[in-house]
Amino acid sequence: MACLPGYVVAAHMDEQALMGLDPGADARHRHRAMAYFEQLKESQDAWEVCAQALAKGLYNDDHVKFFCFQVLEHQIKFRHAGLSGGQRQLLRETLMKWLQSQLERPQPEKVFVRNKAAQVLALTFVAEYPAPWPEFFFDILALVGLNPHGVDIYLRTLMAVDGEVADRDIARAPEVTRRNTMIKDAMRERCIPGLVESWFQILHTYQLSHPELTCQCLEVVGAYVSWIDLGLIANERFVNLLLGHMSVEELREEACDCLLEIVNKGMDPVDKTKLVESLCAVLQAAGFFHVEREEDVDFLAKFSRLVNGMGQSLVASWTKLAKAGVAEDANAALDALETKVALALSLLAHPDDDISANVVTFCYEYLHVLKQLPELGDGRRTNVEAILLAVIKKLTYDDEYNFDNEGEDEAMFVEYRKQLKMLLDRLAQVSPELVLVTVRRVFADAMGKWQSASFMEVEVAIRLLYMLGEALPASHGAHFSGDAVKTGALQDMMTTLVTCGVSGYRHTCVSLEFFETVVRYDKFFVVEPQHIPNVLMAFLDQRGLRHDSPKVRSRVAYLFSRFVKTLQDSKHMTLYVEDILTRIQDLLELAPPDKNFPAALTGDDQLFMFEAAGVLIVGGECAAEHKRALMRGLLAPLVDAFGPLLDKLAAETDEEAREALADCLCHAVGFVSRTSKAFSNKQTVKQCGCTEVYRDCLLAFLPALSCPVQRGALRGCVRSFLHRMIICMEEEVLPFIPAASEHMLKDCEARDLQELIPLISQITSKFKMQVSPFLQRIFMPLVLAIFEALARPADDNDQAAALEKQMLRRSYFTFVQTVASSGMNEVLANQGAENMERVVFTVIQGAVDFPDPVAQKTCFTVLARLVELWGGEAGMAGFADFSYKHIVPACFLAPLKPTFDLSDAQTALTLSEVAVTLKTVYAKQGPQLLDFLQRDYLPSLHVSPEVAQELCHVLQQPDAKVLKTYLKVFFQRAKP
């Protein structure tokens, strides 16, 4: 280090560099300070300068002190093992001198300095305990005594030590875990009793004068109790002290946390039950169970966590004892558990949701216990009902919930509601009859007075009906068949819901809950179709799709689509099809990009409306001619608007306007595509007479492929439409494919090709010989375009471009595999010898040279298929020799590559394809292959004659699995 040659203890620090540590320093000074920091870290002995500065108190600046501790930290972390005995002694003396100086300060150091010092002390402890510094903690205690500043550092060091050796949330290397275990064992044997005694003295001495130190000490006790002897803490002296802290306002929250850590300590279930019972007895005697009198919600939040922990501990004790068959002890644990339910209930029903949420787990686990008991009994049934009523109360929104601008508080309530739903589901498992009766009563009461009731009361009543659908599940939503009691109750509630007029309640949350519930129980309308017209009107008027709230309109559009699908299958919508289409006509209009008013529905919402309209038309019972007329009426406005909008886009120069026009065009294509989801194997496009309608759409949309602007978006939507039409229109789509493909091959990027290949593969797989002439024409242009895209130079650091090329390469190999496997031998054979050889060589290159097991597997699948097609006596001339020169070697060269990881699952699949390829060559060539391997090829790889003979023997076995297993062993031995 040029500027720090041969440091001695008297050396000084670079004052100019230290100026850069000030938070207000400019960038140049900060940079110099960072460079100086790196120099000190890299120097073998420059840390001694920092040690001297700390020991002698040479600097008053907090940031310089922090800086010095950072240098020491780096030295201990990375170079401690290389320190001499004298240097280690210097380090220890430095820390103790600095600690001594703290006792004399009128004011303590800044918190960030104290924390860093504690971290350095902890790292030193870990490096030097139990030898050569077995008295580490006793030396510190002897020095600091009960000095508040010293005790503060001592406690911070204890927390830092716990973080280094005991924190289970930190993943550690096995050797570090072993070291930490050794340290903890040594501490338990040598110093923990002394540390515990010091904690007691600190808690006792400072509980009134220094509450912040007492809280720190309680945190230490809570951290250490998980791995030290519990008897040192869970005794009358200590627990009484902690319970005394529960009555001190500044200490009570930390005392709660400490008691919780004690309760959570792993121990024998009988002892755990006794511990919890003794704690509860003292807490109850002290009046802590009267939570209704407590006004400090922060304390109650901590106390509720303690109650939850005690309840969970008792559940765990009962579970272990019941499994072990220890009936008497299990019953004692159960009795103890049930005496805590009343306390948990008072917390569950507390107005503060945080307090309530903290005991949900206890209540949930208690119900799980009840579920396992042979009978409930009156007392337990009362508990169940009380939990249910608390859940209903807490599910209710409060006045402060902001529905228009939902923020963090609202998100937390939504999560809390999910927890309550879990409780309701568990309640229904324990006593389904009670849940059904209670919900029915609450629902009937709210619906009877909905016009005068608050939105919270109305919403939660409908919400409870909705939640019954999962709490009392039915197969495939068949809630209205089977159990007569349940069916009758649900049918009665649904009838009330759709006839009482509550759908007109104007609050958004009630509107949404109404439609959500209608759709959850859509099979109700199959049973009672007389209610369909009223509900349809609710969907279609200002209560639903024309509601004032965009949020309601958006959700209702989706729900309407689902509702229509369900009822169309049951043929109950036939009477209303044309009326619905007329009423929603304005909601199906393509919104012009230059509109000056907000549309009722967004483009994404309209997708659901077009899907619903398609389902209504296709599922109707009218003649095919009528369906065609309705579908044309639905889609013609989109087709008519498309051409003029496309022309406008081509002429537009403003980029923002171009994006808006392209978005509008894409929506038009998407709307048409969405209607095609209505067709099925029973109701095809052809059977419904709609082929001509969709053909006209294709004719209108395909010119978009040639548009010079917004090419990516337009090509993407038209390509997606073609995918749908291949499924729906069958062979009627074929005349459009060649021109579309030619357009998409022009000026295309890697991503364009990657997205085009699945389209061509879909056509190939579906139509096979029908598209052979087209494939023969398109094959090489597509392949050449791929080669060109892959050959384009890209920045080595451009990971996105590299990934794009990898995905394109995979897509290319998959495409060749599709063609090779489709039975269209002539597609490949007619490409010309030179072209075909080039393609096959790229496949071999993909199999061997690219460390991508997904692509390699595909390549070997292709090679095996080509051997199958052309490798026999009647195959392509010269292909057998080609196999020996290139395909068979690829089967060995690929697995021998260092990048071919035989332990990787995906690579194992590739190796299986290698085995299939070799078996296929053997099936075509027989003894000639064996002769080639033993006489020519395997010797070139320096494989011994014995191993070569062994491989050939395995190759001849009829079961391919034998070869697959053998090859893994073969290549494991062959790799260096």
PDB file of all heavy atoms in Angstrom, residues 815-835:
ATOM      1  N   PHE A 815     -39.366 -26.647 -33.841  1.00  0.00           N
ATOM      2  CA  PHE A 815     -40.028 -26.597 -35.152  1.00  0.00           C
ATOM      3  C   PHE A 815     -39.538 -27.737 -36.052  1.00  0.00           C
ATOM      4  O   PHE A 815     -40.330 -28.439 -36.674  1.00  0.00           O
ATOM      5  CB  PHE A 815     -39.763 -25.243 -35.806  1.00  0.00           C
ATOM      6  CG  PHE A 815     -40.175 -25.164 -37.254  1.00  0.00           C
ATOM      7  CD1 PHE A 815     -41.494 -25.351 -37.625  1.00  0.00           C
ATOM      8  CD2 PHE A 815     -39.239 -24.912 -38.247  1.00  0.00           C
ATOM      9  CE1 PHE A 815     -41.883 -25.280 -38.955  1.00  0.00           C
ATOM     10  CE2 PHE A 815     -39.617 -24.847 -39.577  1.00  0.00           C
ATOM     11  CZ  PHE A 815     -40.941 -25.031 -39.936  1.00  0.00           C
ATOM     12  N   VAL A 816     -38.218 -27.928 -36.122  1.00  0.00           N
ATOM     13  CA  VAL A 816     -37.668 -29.017 -36.933  1.00  0.00           C
ATOM     14  C   VAL A 816     -38.197 -30.356 -36.413  1.00  0.00           C
ATOM     15  O   VAL A 816     -38.545 -31.249 -37.196  1.00  0.00           O
ATOM     16  CB  VAL A 816     -36.121 -28.992 -36.906  1.00  0.00           C
ATOM     17  CG1 VAL A 816     -35.550 -30.185 -37.678  1.00  0.00           C
ATOM     18  CG2 VAL A 816     -35.606 -27.691 -37.518  1.00  0.00           C
ATOM     19  N   GLN A 817     -38.282 -30.496 -35.103  1.00  0.00           N
ATOM     20  CA  GLN A 817     -38.822 -31.728 -34.521  1.00  0.00           C
ATOM     21  C   GLN A 817     -40.277 -31.942 -34.942  1.00  0.00           C
ATOM     22  O   GLN A 817     -40.679 -33.055 -35.288  1.00  0.00           O
ATOM     23  CB  GLN A 817     -38.736 -31.672 -32.988  1.00  0.00           C
ATOM     24  CG  GLN A 817     -39.302 -32.917 -32.302  1.00  0.00           C
ATOM     25  CD  GLN A 817     -39.485 -32.721 -30.807  1.00  0.00           C
ATOM     26  OE1 GLN A 817     -39.128 -31.689 -30.260  1.00  0.00           O
ATOM     27  NE2 GLN A 817     -40.035 -33.717 -30.144  1.00  0.00           N
ATOM     28  N   THR A 818     -41.066 -30.870 -34.925  1.00  0.00           N
ATOM     29  CA  THR A 818     -42.483 -30.976 -35.319  1.00  0.00           C
ATOM     30  C   THR A 818     -42.604 -31.447 -36.761  1.00  0.00           C
ATOM     31  O   THR A 818     -43.405 -32.333 -37.073  1.00  0.00           O
ATOM     32  CB  THR A 818     -43.180 -29.611 -35.149  1.00  0.00           C
ATOM     33  OG1 THR A 818     -43.048 -29.181 -33.792  1.00  0.00           O
ATOM     34  CG2 THR A 818     -44.653 -29.710 -35.511  1.00  0.00           C
ATOM     35  N   VAL A 819     -41.794 -30.845 -37.635  1.00  0.00           N
ATOM     36  CA  VAL A 819     -41.844 -31.226 -39.051  1.00  0.00           C
ATOM     37  C   VAL A 819     -41.382 -32.675 -39.224  1.00  0.00           C
ATOM     38  O   VAL A 819     -42.021 -33.474 -39.919  1.00  0.00           O
ATOM     39  CB  VAL A 819     -40.968 -30.275 -39.902  1.00  0.00           C
ATOM     40  CG1 VAL A 819     -40.900 -30.760 -41.348  1.00  0.00           C
ATOM     41  CG2 VAL A 819     -41.524 -28.857 -39.839  1.00  0.00           C
ATOM     42  N   ALA A 820     -40.285 -33.024 -38.555  1.00  0.00           N
ATOM     43  CA  ALA A 820     -39.745 -34.380 -38.694  1.00  0.00           C
ATOM     44  C   ALA A 820     -40.704 -35.431 -38.148  1.00  0.00           C
ATOM     45  O   ALA A 820     -40.739 -36.569 -38.640  1.00  0.00           O
ATOM     46  CB  ALA A 820     -38.404 -34.472 -37.974  1.00  0.00           C
ATOM     47  N   SER A 821     -41.468 -35.060 -37.128  1.00  0.00           N
ATOM     48  CA  SER A 821     -42.353 -36.036 -36.480  1.00  0.00           C
ATOM     49  C   SER A 821     -43.753 -36.069 -37.066  1.00  0.00           C
ATOM     50  O   SER A 821     -44.585 -36.858 -36.631  1.00  0.00           O
ATOM     51  CB  SER A 821     -42.458 -35.704 -34.978  1.00  0.00           C
ATOM     52  OG  SER A 821     -41.189 -35.668 -34.387  1.00  0.00           O
ATOM     53  N   SER A 822     -44.035 -35.209 -38.050  1.00  0.00           N
ATOM     54  CA  SER A 822     -45.411 -35.082 -38.547  1.00  0.00           C
ATOM     55  C   SER A 822     -45.732 -36.053 -39.676  1.00  0.00           C
ATOM     56  O   SER A 822     -46.856 -36.045 -40.184  1.00  0.00           O
ATOM     57  CB  SER A 822     -45.652 -33.649 -39.038  1.00  0.00           C
ATOM     58  OG  SER A 822     -44.782 -33.364 -40.123  1.00  0.00           O
ATOM     59  N   GLY A 823     -44.733 -36.856 -40.097  1.00  0.00           N
ATOM     60  CA  GLY A 823     -44.972 -37.809 -41.187  1.00  0.00           C
ATOM     61  C   GLY A 823     -44.811 -37.198 -42.556  1.00  0.00           C
ATOM     62  O   GLY A 823     -45.135 -37.836 -43.571  1.00  0.00           O
ATOM     63  N   MET A 824     -44.317 -35.962 -42.629  1.00  0.00           N
ATOM     64  CA  MET A 824     -44.137 -35.293 -43.924  1.00  0.00           C
ATOM     65  C   MET A 824     -42.659 -35.329 -44.318  1.00  0.00           C
ATOM     66  O   MET A 824     -41.954 -34.324 -44.311  1.00  0.00           O
ATOM     67  CB  MET A 824     -44.656 -33.855 -43.853  1.00  0.00           C
ATOM     68  CG  MET A 824     -46.161 -33.784 -43.733  1.00  0.00           C
ATOM     69  SD  MET A 824     -46.757 -32.088 -43.677  1.00  0.00           S
ATOM     70  CE  MET A 824     -46.341 -31.638 -42.024  1.00  0.00           C
ATOM     71  N   ASN A 825     -42.215 -36.512 -44.645  1.00  0.00           N
ATOM     72  CA  ASN A 825     -40.818 -36.731 -45.009  1.00  0.00           C
ATOM     73  C   ASN A 825     -40.383 -35.823 -46.153  1.00  0.00           C
ATOM     74  O   ASN A 825     -39.270 -35.294 -46.173  1.00  0.00           O
ATOM     75  CB  ASN A 825     -40.647 -38.212 -45.384  1.00  0.00           C
ATOM     76  CG  ASN A 825     -39.205 -38.588 -45.611  1.00  0.00           C
ATOM     77  OD1 ASN A 825     -38.306 -37.821 -45.292  1.00  0.00           O
ATOM     78  ND2 ASN A 825     -38.986 -39.763 -46.156  1.00  0.00           N
ATOM     79  N   GLU A 826     -41.320 -35.586 -47.072  1.00  0.00           N
ATOM     80  CA  GLU A 826     -40.962 -34.836 -48.268  1.00  0.00           C
ATOM     81  C   GLU A 826     -40.663 -33.368 -47.981  1.00  0.00           C
ATOM     82  O   GLU A 826     -39.953 -32.709 -48.734  1.00  0.00           O
ATOM     83  CB  GLU A 826     -42.064 -34.937 -49.336  1.00  0.00           C
ATOM     84  CG  GLU A 826     -43.370 -34.205 -49.006  1.00  0.00           C
ATOM     85  CD  GLU A 826     -44.291 -35.008 -48.102  1.00  0.00           C
ATOM     86  OE1 GLU A 826     -43.892 -36.113 -47.673  1.00  0.00           O
ATOM     87  OE2 GLU A 826     -45.398 -34.546 -47.818  1.00  0.00           O
ATOM     88  N   VAL A 827     -41.213 -32.833 -46.886  1.00  0.00           N
ATOM     89  CA  VAL A 827     -40.943 -31.436 -46.556  1.00  0.00           C
ATOM     90  C   VAL A 827     -39.441 -31.224 -46.369  1.00  0.00           C
ATOM     91  O   VAL A 827     -38.849 -30.270 -46.887  1.00  0.00           O
ATOM     92  CB  VAL A 827     -41.702 -31.002 -45.290  1.00  0.00           C
ATOM     93  CG1 VAL A 827     -41.269 -29.611 -44.842  1.00  0.00           C
ATOM     94  CG2 VAL A 827     -43.206 -31.014 -45.551  1.00  0.00           C
ATOM     95  N   LEU A 828     -38.815 -32.135 -45.637  1.00  0.00           N
ATOM     96  CA  LEU A 828     -37.381 -32.036 -45.424  1.00  0.00           C
ATOM     97  C   LEU A 828     -36.604 -32.503 -46.647  1.00  0.00           C
ATOM     98  O   LEU A 828     -35.643 -31.864 -47.076  1.00  0.00           O
ATOM     99  CB  LEU A 828     -36.971 -32.875 -44.207  1.00  0.00           C
ATOM    100  CG  LEU A 828     -37.562 -32.427 -42.861  1.00  0.00           C
ATOM    101  CD1 LEU A 828     -37.197 -33.419 -41.768  1.00  0.00           C
ATOM    102  CD2 LEU A 828     -37.062 -31.042 -42.484  1.00  0.00           C
ATOM    103  N   ALA A 829     -37.047 -33.623 -47.229  1.00  0.00           N
ATOM    104  CA  ALA A 829     -36.301 -34.215 -48.345  1.00  0.00           C
ATOM    105  C   ALA A 829     -36.256 -33.293 -49.556  1.00  0.00           C
ATOM    106  O   ALA A 829     -35.282 -33.309 -50.324  1.00  0.00           O
ATOM    107  CB  ALA A 829     -36.920 -35.554 -48.723  1.00  0.00           C
ATOM    108  N   ASN A 830     -37.270 -32.474 -49.743  1.00  0.00           N
ATOM    109  CA  ASN A 830     -37.356 -31.632 -50.938  1.00  0.00           C
ATOM    110  C   ASN A 830     -36.705 -30.257 -50.767  1.00  0.00           C
ATOM    111  O   ASN A 830     -36.910 -29.371 -51.595  1.00  0.00           O
ATOM    112  CB  ASN A 830     -38.820 -31.450 -51.361  1.00  0.00           C
ATOM    113  CG  ASN A 830     -39.426 -32.751 -51.868  1.00  0.00           C
ATOM    114  OD1 ASN A 830     -38.699 -33.699 -52.180  1.00  0.00           O
ATOM    115  ND2 ASN A 830     -40.747 -32.805 -51.942  1.00  0.00           N
ATOM    116  N   GLN A 831     -35.960 -30.076 -49.708  1.00  0.00           N
ATOM    117  CA  GLN A 831     -35.302 -28.779 -49.516  1.00  0.00           C
ATOM    118  C   GLN A 831     -33.974 -28.676 -50.258  1.00  0.00           C
ATOM    119  O   GLN A 831     -33.328 -27.634 -50.228  1.00  0.00           O
ATOM    120  CB  GLN A 831     -35.059 -28.526 -48.014  1.00  0.00           C
ATOM    121  CG  GLN A 831     -36.322 -28.448 -47.180  1.00  0.00           C
ATOM    122  CD  GLN A 831     -37.332 -27.443 -47.712  1.00  0.00           C
ATOM    123  OE1 GLN A 831     -36.976 -26.322 -48.070  1.00  0.00           O
ATOM    124  NE2 GLN A 831     -38.599 -27.857 -47.786  1.00  0.00           N
ATOM    125  N   GLY A 832     -33.571 -29.765 -50.895  1.00  0.00           N
ATOM    126  CA  GLY A 832     -32.275 -29.774 -51.583  1.00  0.00           C
ATOM    127  C   GLY A 832     -31.200 -30.289 -50.647  1.00  0.00           C
ATOM    128  O   GLY A 832     -31.225 -30.018 -49.434  1.00  0.00           O
ATOM    129  N   ALA A 833     -30.230 -31.015 -51.221  1.00  0.00           N
ATOM    130  CA  ALA A 833     -29.209 -31.668 -50.398  1.00  0.00           C
ATOM    131  C   ALA A 833     -28.413 -30.664 -49.575  1.00  0.00           C
ATOM    132  O   ALA A 833     -28.147 -30.870 -48.386  1.00  0.00           O
ATOM    133  CB  ALA A 833     -28.269 -32.486 -51.301  1.00  0.00           C
ATOM    134  N   GLU A 834     -28.051 -29.555 -50.211  1.00  0.00           N
ATOM    135  CA  GLU A 834     -27.220 -28.575 -49.499  1.00  0.00           C
ATOM    136  C   GLU A 834     -27.961 -27.956 -48.329  1.00  0.00           C
ATOM    137  O   GLU A 834     -27.430 -27.839 -47.215  1.00  0.00           O
ATOM    138  CB  GLU A 834     -26.779 -27.492 -50.485  1.00  0.00           C
ATOM    139  CG  GLU A 834     -25.787 -26.501 -49.881  1.00  0.00           C
ATOM    140  CD  GLU A 834     -25.357 -25.447 -50.892  1.00  0.00           C
ATOM    141  OE1 GLU A 834     -25.402 -25.718 -52.115  1.00  0.00           O
ATOM    142  OE2 GLU A 834     -24.973 -24.356 -50.450  1.00  0.00           O
ATOM    143  N   ASN A 835     -29.228 -27.581 -48.565  1.00  0.00           N
ATOM    144  CA  ASN A 835     -30.022 -26.992 -47.490  1.00  0.00           C
ATOM    145  C   ASN A 835     -30.274 -27.991 -46.366  1.00  0.00           C
ATOM    146  O   ASN A 835     -30.185 -27.665 -45.173  1.00  0.00           O
ATOM    147  CB  ASN A 835     -31.373 -26.503 -48.031  1.00  0.00           C
ATOM    148  CG  ASN A 835     -31.234 -25.204 -48.801  1.00  0.00           C
ATOM    149  OD1 ASN A 835     -30.290 -24.432 -48.582  1.00  0.00           O
ATOM    150  ND2 ASN A 835     -32.156 -24.953 -49.720  1.00  0.00           N
TER     151      ASN A 835
END
